[in-house]
């Protein structure tokens, strides 16, 4: 896995956000090719599966900056929409990269085309696979601890637990956070 961390409080408006997330994923894709993994087996797996986990943290602080309260249904809906938008940006950029550079090899695009050909024909099967394949195996990683604010003025109480279902759009769940044992 190549794991990158993004601070949600440093991301911009939706138009800036789309560009920032696209740049991040392209950076990760390039980095996979450049990293000298410690074992040949890890190097091969990284190239075949292109596992990228982009971890978004400080979501609680982002909500505090927007003056949103964790017990509000509107806060939950806003966070859910925001996280879905982030994931769609990653998926869209991964699809664009797959069209330019090819899908992740372990997907077996050629075998998939061969299976689809009897039903759709070779031309349509290629088009389907080319238009829907991703370049990366995993994209968005979230931790429940990212939902709790770190800012000193914010009060992290049990109401922040109401937001945990919003992270269901993640490809991978982590238990990453600043000293999670004490929280």
């Amino acid at each position: 896995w190549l794991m990158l961390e993004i601070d949600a409080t440093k991301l911009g408006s939706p138009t800036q956000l789309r560009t920032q997330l696209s740049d991040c994923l392209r950076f990760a894709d390039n980095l996979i090719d450049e990293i000298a993994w410690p074992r040949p087996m890890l190097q091969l797996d990284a190239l075949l599966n292109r596992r990228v986990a982009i971890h978004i943290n400080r979501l609680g602080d982002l909500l505090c900056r927007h003056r949103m309260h964790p017990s509000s249904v509107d806060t939950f809906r806003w966070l859910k929409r925001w996280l879905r938008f982030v994931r769609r940006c990653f998926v869209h950029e991964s699809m664009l990269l797959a069209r330019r550079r090819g899908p992740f090899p372990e997907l077996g695009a050629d075998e998939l085309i061969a299976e689809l050909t009897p039903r759709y024909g070779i031309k349509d099967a290629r088009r389907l696979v080319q238009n829907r394949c991703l370049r990366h195996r995993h994209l968005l990683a979230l931790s429940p601890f990212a939902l709790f604010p770190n800012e000193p003025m914010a009060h992290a109480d049990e109401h922040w637990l109401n937001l945990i279902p919003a992270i269901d759009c993640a490809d991978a769940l982590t238990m990453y956070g600043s000293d999670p044992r004490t929280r």
Side-chain angles (χ1 to χ4, degrees):
W1 285 73
L2 175 64
M3 188 163 164
L4 301 176
E5 186 176 328
I6 295 178
D7 183 342
T9 62
K10 301 212 173 158
L11 296 172
S13 68
T15 53
Q16 293 171 324
L17 180 60
R18 182 174 282 132
T19 303
Q20 290 169 329
L21 297 176
S22 295
D23 291 346
C24 181
L25 190 57
R26 275 187 271 118
F27 172 76
D29 191 60
N30 293 335
L31 198 55
I32 286 174
D33 295 328
E34 297 300 321
I35 290 178
W37 297 89
R39 293 189 180 134
M41 192 168 88
L42 292 175
Q43 180 80 35
L44 180 63
D45 183 67
L47 294 174
L48 290 177
N49 290 298
R50 306 194 79 76
R51 289 184 182 99
V52 175
I54 300 176
H55 189 270
I56 309 280
N57 65 5
R58 297 192 64 199
L59 293 169
D61 294 329
L62 177 68
L63 296 173
C64 286
R65 288 191 182 172
H66 287 289
R67 299 180 192 266
M68 297 178 154
H69 194 272
S71 62
S72 168
V73 174
D74 291 335
T75 300
F76 177 79
R77 287 182 184 147
W78 182 90
L79 178 62
K80 189 88 168 161
R81 276 192 315 272
W82 191 85
L83 289 171
R84 283 183 184 149
F85 176 75
V86 166
R87 186 165 190 298
R88 275 195 311 269
C89 289
F90 285 137
V91 167
H92 179 72
E93 186 63 28
S94 185
M95 290 170 95
L96 290 176
L97 285 170
R99 286 183 200 145
R100 282 185 246 144
R101 301 177 183 178
F104 65 93
E106 193 65 23
L107 175 66
D110 293 335
E111 292 86 4
L112 189 56
I113 290 170
E115 286 185 31
L116 293 172
T117 298
R119 183 171 182 173
Y120 297 103
I122 188 75
K123 184 179 176 183
D124 286 340
R126 279 197 179 120
R127 184 182 49 79
L128 282 169
V129 170
Q130 182 183 14
N131 289 337
R132 301 304 302 169
C133 284
L134 296 175
R135 173 95 171 141
H136 309 92
R137 183 157 267 192
H138 302 282
L139 295 170
L140 182 60
L142 295 171
S143 169
F145 296 111
L147 298 170
F148 293 93
N150 290 335
E151 293 183 357
M153 294 175 47
H155 180 64
D157 60 13
E158 68 275 358
H159 290 104
W160 293 94
L161 295 172
N162 296 331
L163 301 175
I164 288 178
I167 64 175
D168 70 340
C169 63
D171 296 308
L173 295 177
T174 67
M175 294 306 285
Y176 180 80
S178 57
D179 199 14
R181 292 170 294 160
T182 62
R183 301 179 97 188

